[in-house]
Amino acid sequence: MPLTLQRPDLLRLTHYIDGRWCEAVGGARFEVDDPALVRAFASVPDGDARDAAAALEAAHAAFPAWRAVSARERSRALARWNALVLQHKDDLGRLISREQGKPLGEAVGEILYAASYIEWFAGEAPRISGDVIAAPMAGRQMLAVKEPVGVIAAISPWNFPAAMIARKIAPALAAGCTVVAKPAEDTPLTALALVALAEEAGVPPGVLNLVTASRANAASVVDVWLADARVRKLTFTGSTPVGQHLARESATTLKKLSLELGGNAPFLVFEDADLDAAVDGLMAAKFRNAGQTCVCPNRIYVHDAVHDAFVAKLAARVAALKVAPATDPLAQIGPLINAKAVEKVERHVRDALAKGATLVTGGQRLPELGPNFHQPTVLTGANDDMAFSREETFGPVAPVFRFTDEDAVVAAANGTPYGLAAYFYTRDVRRIARLAAALEAGLVGINEGAVSSEAAPFGGIKASGYGREGSRHGLDEYMQLKYLCQGGLDG
Ligand code: SIN
């Protein structure tokens, strides 16, 4: 089916460097697949080190002028960008659905989510302030001022092609930084369209630069930015091994880092929980984007006393989910991103069944819809030997573990190297206080499954990384403190 946009010029198929839409220096291109059909429908430049270097030169040259623009002006540029993103949300949603696969309603929802970060940081920019410090001796004035860190490199993932890049670029621009960005090779088109709208909003040439590259060439682009001391910060959302690599390689130039990495979120349902609310929360958290989010519950622990009732309610809801291509207006679960993703889901289900789990619903691929579709699945009898206890499934599989003891389940929930999200449902206020303190995660949903918000600090601990996106803390990631000490004022 052709990709029909109200604004066909939002389908941008070249790099954006120094205010120019351009091909890769080497002239190569790579194809972008529709994950529902596993068929190419567009192509973009396959950038390499030369394109990365050109983008960096542009961002470096643009930095002095952009940081000198008043925070109020930068805020206005972001506000104009936000308005354009909202105005074109349907086209942007279509681009997401086509390259990433999520149903159109959900894709437009992601655009609203992306825009909320742009709006938020448009609001934060004029409020940047530092400290006037009470000097411990006479005759001194002591100030702590905030400055933009400089050029930042943003490397964004495929699962939220708009929201993840927006929440990196918007605070960077608000702070007065300039940007070189590389979107995931699976989903470059949404990022390019967002950049086109930023250009239309009046973001000056060189301030925002975007280079696309295939999986094979991604490292040659990123390596240029990693090695160059002019890139003062790197922000990345993706897997823990890649995040570890980026942290190691950034060490030479001591870049500031924000790393939003893998997770293995526990979801705990206690015997006193409101079961309907818990099922609603789990559906929202687990099946958003077909289970392809870093904050998806990966291990669901349900108290023995409510286990069967909870599973019955959950299974009825999951079995009713409509799996279909994004073009179907009733679709709730789209295709997974690629063959590797479906194979992982199948491996986790197979492994669990071989180790004694029971299949309650789902469990199969849906080849009649396309090679990347998989049924949403509920398993019971999950245990710590199963692969999803250690690995993030990143797909629509909900494995249910049974528990009886609070201390034991908290230990199990924390028994992972990761620490991004955790959720629990209970009505006991003392337990809420205990678990809020005990759970090792950067984000904790308490009787709530949909925790993400532009107003909140998003990020993990342990192997889920460090740094925060969103909220006022998300702006500080792009700023550095400078202490000014003026003496001789007592004369
Ligand atoms: C992610 O999956 O990395 C982000 C999800 C969110 O922002 O809620």
Side-chain angles (χ1 to χ4, degrees):
M1 185 188 268
L3 177 67
T4 311
L5 301 179
Q6 284 151 13
R7 278 263 315 257
D9 64 319
L10 289 181
L11 184 63
R12 295 292 170 122
L13 302 173
T14 61
H15 293 327
Y16 182 69
I17 299 175
D18 206 11
R20 287 179 306 108
W21 295 91
C22 51
E23 291 296 335
V25 175
R29 297 182 70 81
F30 70 97
E31 290 182 331
V32 183
D33 277 354
D34 174 339
L37 304 168
V38 193
R39 191 178 301 150
F41 70 99
S43 73
V44 291
D46 196 0
D48 62 22
R50 293 166 290 178
D51 306 284
L56 175 52
E57 285 303 329
H60 180 63
F63 177 59
W66 182 244
R67 73 175 292 185
V69 167
S70 73
R72 183 64 76 177
E73 262 315 304
R74 295 198 300 269
S75 162
R76 288 194 188 111
L78 286 168
R80 290 193 296 273
W81 188 25
N82 176 49
L84 286 166
V85 170
L86 291 176
Q87 185 184 340
H88 298 294
K89 65 180 190 321
D90 294 329
D91 275 352
L92 294 167
R94 282 184 199 106
L95 283 170
I96 292 185
S97 284
R98 193 57 183 271
E99 64 179 353
Q100 196 269 334
K102 66 179 61 144
L104 188 58
E106 199 177 343
V108 173
E110 185 191 331
I111 295 302
L112 301 181
Y113 183 43
S116 74
Y117 284 99
I118 304 175
E119 183 184 17
W120 178 270
F121 288 110
E124 283 290 308
R127 292 178 179 80
I128 294 169
S129 61
D131 301 323
V132 179
I133 300 160
M137 64 276 291
R140 283 199 179 186
Q141 186 184 58
M142 296 168 57
L143 304 175
V145 297
K146 288 184 182 172
E147 296 185 332
V149 293
V151 176
I152 72 119
I155 303 168
S156 61
W158 53 262
N159 61 340
F160 290 89
M164 297 301 103
I165 200 159
R167 76 184 188 193
K168 298 180 187 317
I169 292 175
L173 299 189
C177 298
T178 55
V179 179
V180 291
K182 189 196 81 59
E185 56 278 2
D186 303 289
T187 58
L189 302 179
T190 310
L192 285 164
L194 286 175
V195 168
L197 293 174
E199 180 188 37
E200 200 169 315
V203 173
V207 169
L208 175 56
N209 306 277
L210 189 134
V211 172
T212 54
S214 64
R215 200 177 303 274
N217 265 357
S220 67
V221 168
V222 174
D223 285 352
V224 168
W225 299 340
L226 281 171
D228 199 306
R230 292 174 297 173
V231 174
R232 293 311 315 138
K233 179 191 166 81
L234 187 133
T235 168
F236 168 72
T237 299
S239 74
T240 296
V242 174
Q244 288 164 331
H245 166 77
L246 296 174
R248 270 192 300 272
E249 295 302 311
S250 296
T252 324
T253 52
L254 288 174
K255 297 184 201 315
K256 205 168 154 114
L257 290 171
S258 298
L259 300 173
E260 200 253 275
L261 308 177
N264 191 338
F267 188 103
L268 280 48
V269 182
F270 285 90
E271 65 277 23
D272 60 348
D274 174 339
L275 289 195
D276 291 318
V279 171
D280 283 347
L282 182 59
M283 294 301 293
K286 176 71 239 185
F287 294 101
R288 174 177 173 225
N289 199 17
Q292 301 172 109
T293 86
C294 300
V295 288
C296 268
N298 210 50
R299 297 166 292 145
I300 298 134
Y301 296 94
V302 184
H303 192 278
D304 183 52
V306 292
H307 176 278
D308 295 352
F310 179 85
V311 168
K313 285 174 189 281
L314 176 65
R317 292 279 295 276
V318 172
L321 286 171
K322 167 96 172 156
V323 186
T327 42
D328 184 330
L330 299 178
Q332 291 170 298
I333 302 278
L336 300 187
I337 190 69
N338 53 34
K340 232 171 107 195
V342 193
E343 278 154 23
K344 188 174 194 190
V345 165
E346 284 192 307
R347 177 167 64 77
H348 280 196
V349 172
R350 234 185 3 255
D351 169 79
L353 294 176
K355 291 174 179 162
T358 302
L359 183 65
V360 180
T361 185
Q364 300 295 322
R365 273 187 191 233
L366 293 167
E368 62 280 17
L369 293 177
N372 292 340
F373 288 87
H374 194 282
Q375 287 178 320
T377 298
V378 177
L379 297 161
T380 53
N383 67 49
D384 290 348
D385 293 336
M386 297 174 182
F388 38 62
S389 289
R390 297 176 301 279
E391 298 170 30
E392 194 176 14
T393 306
F394 231 62
V397 180
V400 181
F401 299 64
R402 198 187 279 266
F403 78 90
T404 49
D405 177 69
E406 179 183 313
D407 289 343
V409 78
V410 169
N414 288 339
T416 163
Y418 299 103
L420 185 55
Y423 307 83
F424 64 94
Y425 278 71
T426 179
R427 290 182 168 113
D428 179 335
V429 289
R430 289 197 185 83
R431 179 182 281 145
I432 288 176
R434 280 195 302 273
L435 265 78
L439 286 171
E440 296 170 1
L443 323 167
V444 180
I446 305 169
N447 296 322
E448 181 56 66
V451 294
S452 302
S453 162
E454 77 286 2
F458 188 106
I461 59 172
K462 297 163 64 180
S464 295
Y466 40 75
R468 294 293 178 266
E469 296 190 307
S471 82
R472 69 186 165 82
H473 303 286
L475 187 59
D476 279 341
E477 299 281 335
Y478 296 87
M479 309 213 73
Q480 60 206 9
L481 270 182
K482 183 183 273 176
Y483 160 49
L484 304 177
C485 177
Q486 188 178 355
L489 298 177
D490 49 354

